């Protein structure tokens, strides 16, 4: 059985986690769209999820990856450059994570995991673990002692994943726009990296 070109596997071999390059944009976009449609099915309006398009997303990700590799800002709201790691198995992108300095006001001294997504067919197969441990190592190497991330309110799967990796809720909340959706309620999680 296949879904969006990804075979359903019983288990996945250890993924290679590496820096993204321009050839990865389509795979990153596919993971992003499929993960949103599955993880946020009950949390985001169906009309928003239906409008997600991996092909359009690939063009945006191509620009994002180019900006990152050239040292230009990757965030429209903050003059900050983030980086992108991908998890790959047999030449297929099955997950990714973006990270860098905190983009929220007054927290650029903190590291931030801005996104971490794994294709739903590869959930619970240690792909997320491989990504988060590598991202944490990269944040430490960049000099960050502490980091944060945001989890969509109601996304218990993600909250449990982060909790199992030492990321705890600190009570901070925000309501904003993400992926074209207004009024997304997010909860912050933090972690001491050292």
């Amino acid at each position: 059985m296949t879904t969006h070109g990804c075979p359903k596997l019983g288990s996945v071999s250890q993924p290679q986690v590496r820096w993204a390059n321009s050839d990865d944009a389509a795979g990153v976009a596919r993971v992003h769209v499929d993960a949103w449609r599955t993880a946020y099915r009950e949390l985001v309006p169906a009309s928003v999820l239906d409008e997600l398009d991996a092909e359009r997303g690939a063009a945006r990700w191509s620009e994002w990856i180019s900006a990152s590799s050239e040292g230009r800002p990757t965030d429209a709201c903050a003059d900050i450059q983030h980086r992108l790691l991908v998890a790959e198995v047999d030449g297929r992108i099955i997950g990714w994570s973006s990270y860098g300095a905190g983009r929220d006001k007054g927290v650029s001294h903190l590291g931030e995991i801005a996104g971490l997504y794994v294709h739903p067919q590869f959930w619970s197969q240690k792909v997320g673990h491989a990504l988060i441990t590598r991202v944490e190592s990269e944040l430490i190497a960049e000099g960050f002692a502490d980091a944060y991330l945001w989890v969509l309110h109601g996304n218990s799967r993600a909250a449990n994943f982060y909790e199992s990796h030492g990321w705890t809720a600190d009570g901070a909340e925000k309501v904003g726009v993400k992926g074209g959706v207004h009024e997304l309620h997010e909860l912050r999680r933090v972690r001491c990296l050292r």
Side-chain angles (χ1 to χ4, degrees):
M1 175 179 177
T2 62
T3 304
H4 301 297
C6 294
K8 178 71 175 166
L9 302 178
S11 64
V12 65
S13 58
Q14 184 64 25
Q16 175 191 4
V17 177
R18 61 170 176 77
W19 302 109
N21 63 56
S22 59
D23 294 335
D24 298 325
V28 169
R30 173 53 50 207
V31 168
H32 199 193
V33 167
D34 289 351
W36 263 64
R37 284 183 175 159
T38 302
Y40 299 159
R41 183 177 299 131
E42 303 298 321
L43 306 173
V44 172
S47 60
V48 172
L49 298 177
D50 291 343
E51 290 178 16
L52 296 174
D53 182 276
E55 190 172 312
R56 284 193 315 263
R60 286 191 301 274
W61 276 109
S62 182
E63 293 171 14
W64 194 102
I65 293 167
S66 292
S68 179
S69 65
E70 294 168 7
R72 293 184 284 119
T74 53
D75 192 277
C77 300
D79 190 25
I80 291 179
Q81 177 208 10
H82 275 202
R83 283 149 299 288
L84 184 68
L85 291 167
V86 295
E88 177 184 59
V89 169
D90 298 329
R92 179 179 299 117
I93 303 301
I94 62 171
W96 58 265
S97 184
S98 59
Y99 71 94
R103 298 171 298 165
D104 296 286
K105 186 175 182 179
V107 295
S108 61
H109 64 288
L110 300 175
E112 178 188 11
I113 297 180
L116 193 156
Y117 292 96
V118 173
H119 194 281
Q121 290 181 332
F122 299 94
W123 285 355
S124 301
Q125 296 183 46
K126 305 232 181 256
V127 178
H129 173 77
L131 281 165
I132 200 165
T133 55
R134 173 69 183 272
V135 169
E136 290 170 354
S137 296
E138 295 295 338
L139 287 167
I140 291 167
E142 291 184 18
F144 295 107
D146 301 289
Y148 73 96
L149 54 82
W150 294 98
V151 177
L152 188 61
H153 180 66
N155 188 352
S156 57
R157 181 180 196 76
N160 292 337
F161 168 78
Y162 291 121
E163 189 78 26
S164 75
H165 286 85
W167 293 79
T168 58
D170 71 349
E173 301 180 28
K174 72 176 180 178
V175 176
V177 177
K178 185 176 187 179
V181 184
H182 293 275
E183 298 185 11
L184 284 182
H185 182 194
E186 295 178 287
L187 308 175
R188 188 169 65 189
R189 292 189 165 266
V190 296
R191 185 166 194 266
C192 177
L193 297 172
R194 298 181 188 194

